[in-house]
C-alpha cells in the first residue's frame, strides 16, 4: 500500500506529497461526509427542541441533561472504540456508526407522538444515548483513518475538514428551524436521517481498509502523561463552552430579542461559520510551525473566556445586551475555538511518540478515542450545568461562570509550557556544563609529555 511509507509519522521530516493519492482523496471524502452529517444531526435540536420539551412538561434542567447525556455516552463509547479499534476494524466501525446514527435520528423525529412526562423523557434519553454511541464509533474511526493516511499533516487535514463540521453546525440550526416552522417537528429529523443513510453506500465503496496489530499501551498510560492530562483539560473546557450554548442560547435570544424560531438558528451562524473558516488556517500553521501550537492553545482559551464574559454580557460590566454584539462575540468565539482545538491532536500525538508509544493505527485509535472522550466530558457538563445555572442565576452570569473554566484551562496550560521550557533550558545547560567538565578533566592528560 502506497501510504505505508508514511507510517513513521510526526517525527518524520519528510515532506508530504503535494498531490493527493486516490486513496487519500477517498479518505477525505469519507471524513467530510461524517463531519457534515454528524454535526447537522447534533446541532439541529438547538433552535426548537427546548421549546418542544417545555410543551411536554420538561424543565430546563432536564432538557440540559438530555443534551448532556449524549456526551456522557459518547465518552464511554469513545474509550471502548478507541481501545478496540484494531480488533473491530476502522472501516466497519465507521460504516456501522453512520448506519445507526441515521436510524436513530429518524427515530428522534417521532418522539412527539410519545405521551408527555416520564415516558417522553425516557425515550429522549434512550434515543440520544444510541445516537451518541454511533457517533463515537464513526468519529473515532474517522480520526484514526485520517491520521494514518496523512501522518505528516494531521493538523492541516483536521483543520480543513472542520470546514465540513462548521458547515454542519451552520446548516443544522437554520435548516432545522425552518423545516420545523414549515412542516412541523418530524420533518427535520427524518430529512437529516435519510441524508446520513444515503451516505453509507458511498463510504462502503470508497473507504480503504487499514490493517494493524494491537498495541501494548493503554488509555491510562496516555492520560497520565502530565502534558496530555492538561491538554485533556483544555479539550474539556472548550467542548463545555460549545455545549453550554445548546440548551441556553436559543431561549436567551427568544426572550431577549423576540425572534421567531427560524431566525434563532441564524444566530448560531456566527460561531459555526467563523470556526469553519479559521480552522484550516490554524491547522496549516500548526503543521508548518509546530512551536506555535502551545500559544494557540493558551491564547485561544483566554480569548474564549473573554467572549463568554461578554456574551450576556456579565452584569458587572454594565454593557447593554444587543443582538449585533451577541453575534460579534460568537464570531470571535468561533475563531478562538479553532485556535485552541486544532492543535490538540498533533500535540497529544507528539507527546505520545516522545514517550514510547508505537507509531501505528493502535496509538492513533487511543489518541482519537481520548480526544472524543475528553470532548464528551465537557459536552456533558456544559449543557447540564448550563441548563441548571440558566434557571438559577440567568444566562449572563451562567455564561460568565463558563468563561472562568476556559480561563483556568488556558492559564494552567500556559504555566505548564513555561515550566517545560525552563526544564529544557536547565537540561541543556547541565549538558553543556557536563561536557565542559569532561573536557577540563581530560585536558591535563592531553598536555602531559
Amino acid at each position: 500500500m502506497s501510504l505505508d511509507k508514511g507510517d513513521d509519522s510526526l517525527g518524520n521530516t519528510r515532506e508530504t506529497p503535494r498531490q493527493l493519492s486516490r486513496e487519500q482523496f477517498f479518505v477525505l471524502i469519507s471524513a467530510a461526509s461524517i463531519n457534515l452529517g454528524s454535526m447537522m444531526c447534533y446541532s439541529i435540536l438547538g433552535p426548537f427542541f427546548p421549546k418542544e420539551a417545555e410543551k411536554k412538561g420538561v424543565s430546563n434542567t432536564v432538557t440540559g441533561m438530555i443534551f448532556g447525556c449524549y456526551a456522557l455516552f459518547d465518552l464511554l463509547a469513545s474509550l471502548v472504540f478507541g481501545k478496540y479499534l484494531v480488533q473491530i476494524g476502522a472501516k466497519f466501525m465507521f460504516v456501522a456508526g453512520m448506519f445507526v446514527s441515521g436510524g436513530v435520528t429518524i427515530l428522534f423525529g417521532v418522539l412527539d407522538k410519545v405521551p408527555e412526562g416520564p415516558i417522553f423523557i425516557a425515550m429522549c434519553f434512550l434515543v440520544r444515548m444510541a445516537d451518541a454511541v454511533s457517533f463515537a464509533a464513526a468519529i473515532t474511526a474517522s480520526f484514526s483513518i485520517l491520521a494514518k493516511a496523512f501522518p505528516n499533516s494531521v493538523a492541516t487535514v483536521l483543520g480543513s475538514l472542520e470546514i465540513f463540521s462548521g458547515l454542519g453546525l451552520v446548516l443544522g440550526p437554520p435548516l432545522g428551524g425552518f423545516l420545523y416552522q414549515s412542516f412541523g417537528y418530524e420533518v427535520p429529523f427524518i430529512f437529516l436521517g435519510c441524508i446520513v443513510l444515503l451516505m453509507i453506500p458511498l463510504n462502503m465503496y470508497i473507504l480503504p481498509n487499514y490493517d494493524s496489530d494491537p498495541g501494548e499501551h493503554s488509555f491510562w498510560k496516555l492520560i497520565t502523561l502530565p502534558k496530555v492530562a492538561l491538554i485533556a483539560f483544555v479539550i474539556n473546557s472548550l467542548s463545555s463552552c460549545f455545549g453550554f450554548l445548546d440548551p441556553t442560547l436559543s431561549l436567551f435570544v427568544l426572550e431577549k430579542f423576540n425572534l421567531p424560531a427560524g431566525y434563532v438558528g441564524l444566530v448560531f451562524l456566527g460561531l459555526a461559520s467563523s470556526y469553519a473558516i479559521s480552522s484550516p488556517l490554524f491547522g496549516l500553521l500548526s503543521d508548518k510551525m509546530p512551536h506555535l501550537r502551545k500559544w494557540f492553545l493558551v491564547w485561544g482559551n483566554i480569548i474564549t473566556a473573554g467572549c463568554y464574559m461578554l456574551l450576556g454580557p456579565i452584569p458587572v460590566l454594565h454593557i447593554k445586551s444587543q443582538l449585533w454584539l451577541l453575534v460579534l462575540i460568537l464570531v470571535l468565539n468561533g475563531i478562538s475555538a479553532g485556535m485552541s482545538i486544532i492543535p490538540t491532536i498533533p500535540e497529544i500525538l507528539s507527546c505520545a511518540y516522545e514517550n514510547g508509544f508505537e507509531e501505528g493505527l493502535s496509538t492513533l485509535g487511543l489518541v482519537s478515542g481520548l480526544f472524543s472522550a475528553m470532548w464528551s466530558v465537557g459536552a456533558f457538563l456544559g449543557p447540564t450545568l448550563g441548563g441548571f445555572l440558566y434557571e438559577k442565576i440567568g444566562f449572563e452570569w451562567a455564561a460568565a461562570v463558563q468563561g472562568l473554566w476556559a480561563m483556568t484551562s488556558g492559564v494552567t496550560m500556559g504555566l505548564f509550557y513555561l515550566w517545560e521550557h525552563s526544564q529544557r533550558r536547565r537540561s541543556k545547560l547541565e549538558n553543556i556544563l557536563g561536557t565542559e567538565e569532561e573536557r577540563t578533566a581530560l585536558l591535563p592528560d592531553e598536555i602531559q609529555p
Side-chain angles (χ1 to χ4, degrees), residues 303-317:
I303 295 170
T304 296
C307 289
Y308 276 78
M309 299 293 178
L310 294 170
L311 201 57
I314 185 173
V316 295
L317 297 177

Side-chain angles (χ1 to χ4, degrees), residues 196-251:
V196 173
L197 291 176
L198 288 173
M199 293 177 182
I200 293 173
L202 173 66
N203 284 292
M204 290 178 67
Y205 176 72
I206 68 174
L207 195 64
N209 276 309
Y210 288 118
D211 297 323
S212 182
D213 296 324
E216 299 177 357
H217 298 290
S218 64
F219 276 113
W220 180 248
K221 183 175 180 181
L222 185 61
I223 194 63
T224 51
L225 297 173
K227 186 175 181 179
V228 173
L230 288 174
I231 294 174
F233 182 43
V234 168
I235 296 169
N236 292 163
S237 68
L238 293 168
S239 61
S240 177
C241 288
F242 273 129
F244 166 82
L245 299 176
D246 286 333
T248 60
L249 183 61
S250 62
L251 294 175

Side-chain angles (χ1 to χ4, degrees), residues 103-240:
V104 296
T105 299
I106 294 173
L107 285 177
F108 213 105
V110 299
L111 290 183
D112 65 325
K113 308 299 182 185
V114 177
E116 66 180 45
I119 297 177
F120 174 78
I121 293 171
M123 291 304 298
C124 284
F125 275 113
L126 286 173
V127 174
R128 195 75 167 152
M129 290 171 193
D131 197 17
V133 173
S134 63
F135 173 77
I139 209 69
T140 300
S142 175
F143 280 172
S144 303
I145 292 169
L146 280 169
K148 177 74 173 177
F150 299 91
N152 300 310
S153 52
V154 177
T156 301
V157 172
L158 290 177
S160 299
L161 286 171
E162 286 305 296
I163 292 174
F164 295 92
S165 298
L167 188 61
L169 291 171
V170 166
L171 293 177
L175 179 62
F178 283 117
L179 288 176
Y180 168 76
Q181 210 170 19
S182 302
F183 303 103
Y185 177 82
E186 298 91 345
V187 172
F189 297 101
I190 295 172
F191 177 76
L192 282 184
C194 289
I195 288 179
V196 173
L197 291 176
L198 288 173
M199 293 177 182
I200 293 173
L202 173 66
N203 284 292
M204 290 178 67
Y205 176 72
I206 68 174
L207 195 64
N209 276 309
Y210 288 118
D211 297 323
S212 182
D213 296 324
E216 299 177 357
H217 298 290
S218 64
F219 276 113
W220 180 248
K221 183 175 180 181
L222 185 61
I223 194 63
T224 51
L225 297 173
K227 186 175 181 179
V228 173
L230 288 174
I231 294 174
F233 182 43
V234 168
I235 296 169
N236 292 163
S237 68
L238 293 168
S239 61
S240 177

